[in-house]
Amino acid sequence: WKKMERIRISNLIKSYASRCVFHQTNISFYAGEIIGLIGENGIGKTTFIKLLCGLIHPDEGQIFINGINIQKNKAKCMQSMGVLLEGSRSVYWRLSAWQNFIYFSGLKGVFNKEAYKRAEELFKFLEIWEAKDNKAETLSYGMKQRLAFACSISHYPSVVLLDEPTTGLDSGSNLIFEHFIKQLSNENKTIIIASHDHDMIERLSHKIFRIKDGSIKNVS
């Protein structure tokens, strides 16, 4: 039985100024895997996530998401991707948690009953149901983070990319988050977590990769 290839990176080269971040990188990730991405600050973890979701482009090489070349059809690829980038907790502060979710679901093509059902499911699992009618600006940092995460996966993506998702979270929010990540991998999703929190990476990941000297290597 062969696992389904969700992400394939072929001959990837990416440089900034005189520094080569990735050189002739070839790698694949498969359905049901939680991939931990580690490396020193500024080494390229965020760059890797941004390359995968098409926010930045490689100098050379190709990236395929579920068999589709993201440089050629980003919109199609994004239909199957959920992305949470560090520092971009993109929720509207004046809307309630629920209104935020319904708005972002609509952008991703999930409407009406399906959106309400998905909101209830995610809000209960991520323990923000009690605060669903509260304005986002009144939520704690941990709740905002969980709301942003819920919004990013409203459309049942098969690939989930997370950049420093637990930064600033209290231990309670951390536990909820980790439990939910495990649940997602059981649903055959591919999850890539870039983080400096090595303990969390160790607990969650099926495979751990280190970015160093222009390459990405499997270290466990």
Side-chain angles (χ1 to χ4, degrees):
W1 180 71
K2 193 165 180 279
K3 276 188 174 181
M4 182 180 176
E5 185 183 67
R6 292 258 190 237
I7 299 170
R8 177 159 51 91
I9 294 163
S10 175
N11 298 317
L12 175 73
I13 297 176
K14 183 66 184 176
S15 298
Y16 285 117
S18 59
R19 188 169 77 88
C20 180
V21 187
F22 297 104
H23 181 67
Q24 291 292 354
T25 299
N26 293 279
I27 198 165
S28 291
F29 302 113
Y30 298 89
E33 289 185 337
I34 301 176
I35 303 295
L37 206 54
I38 61 173
E40 293 170 18
N41 276 351
I43 203 72
K45 298 189 297 293
T46 297
T47 297
F48 191 72
I49 297 285
K50 287 181 173 177
L51 283 163
L52 290 182
C53 64
L55 272 177
I56 55 178
H57 300 298
D59 301 330
E60 290 181 40
Q62 295 177 306
I63 297 169
F64 298 89
I65 307 295
N66 290 314
I68 298 163
N69 186 322
I70 192 158
Q71 289 106 296
K72 292 182 178 169
N73 197 340
K74 182 181 173 184
K76 180 78 174 162
C77 287
M78 291 311 294
Q79 288 171 11
S80 61
M81 297 174 82
V83 184
L84 188 63
L85 294 172
E86 187 189 14
S88 66
R89 308 297 170 233
S90 49
V91 292
Y92 288 106
W93 284 40
R94 297 194 181 283
L95 297 181
S96 70
W98 185 268
Q99 288 167 331
N100 264 291
F101 186 90
I102 299 306
Y103 172 74
F104 285 108
S105 295
L107 292 183
K108 296 180 171 79
V110 181
F111 301 101
N112 303 328
K113 278 186 182 171
E114 190 184 359
Y116 304 151
K117 180 171 170 280
R118 181 69 167 158
E120 184 171 351
E121 172 193 355
L122 289 173
F123 278 32
K124 286 183 173 171
F125 205 108
L126 292 166
E127 297 189 20
I128 48 177
W129 178 252
E130 301 300 321
K132 69 182 187 298
D133 297 320
N134 298 2
K135 279 189 177 179
E137 64 186 349
T138 68
L139 302 178
S140 69
Y141 182 86
M143 278 194 165
K144 279 193 195 102
Q145 176 77 318
R146 283 180 266 153
L147 172 60
F149 185 42
C151 291
S152 74
I153 57 169
S154 60
H155 56 312
Y156 307 90
S158 59
V159 173
V160 179
L161 307 176
L162 305 169
D163 182 26
E164 300 290 2
T166 57
T167 300
L169 294 193
D170 57 64
S171 56
S173 287
N174 239 326
L175 279 173
I176 293 165
F177 184 83
E178 288 186 24
H179 180 46
F180 189 63
I181 291 294
K182 286 176 183 164
Q183 176 68 29
L184 284 178
S185 79
N186 293 337
E187 296 169 13
N188 224 23
K189 300 185 189 304
T190 302
I191 301 153
I192 298 182
I193 309 170
S195 181
H196 65 272
D197 184 346
H198 287 202
D199 291 341
M200 182 264 289
I201 291 284
E202 288 275 351
R203 284 194 298 272
L204 281 180
S205 306
H206 300 128
K207 295 176 185 171
I208 300 175
F209 288 81
R210 180 185 295 279
I211 298 174
K212 190 179 182 183
D213 301 330
S215 68
I216 174 167
K217 290 202 168 79
N218 192 342
V219 293
S220 80

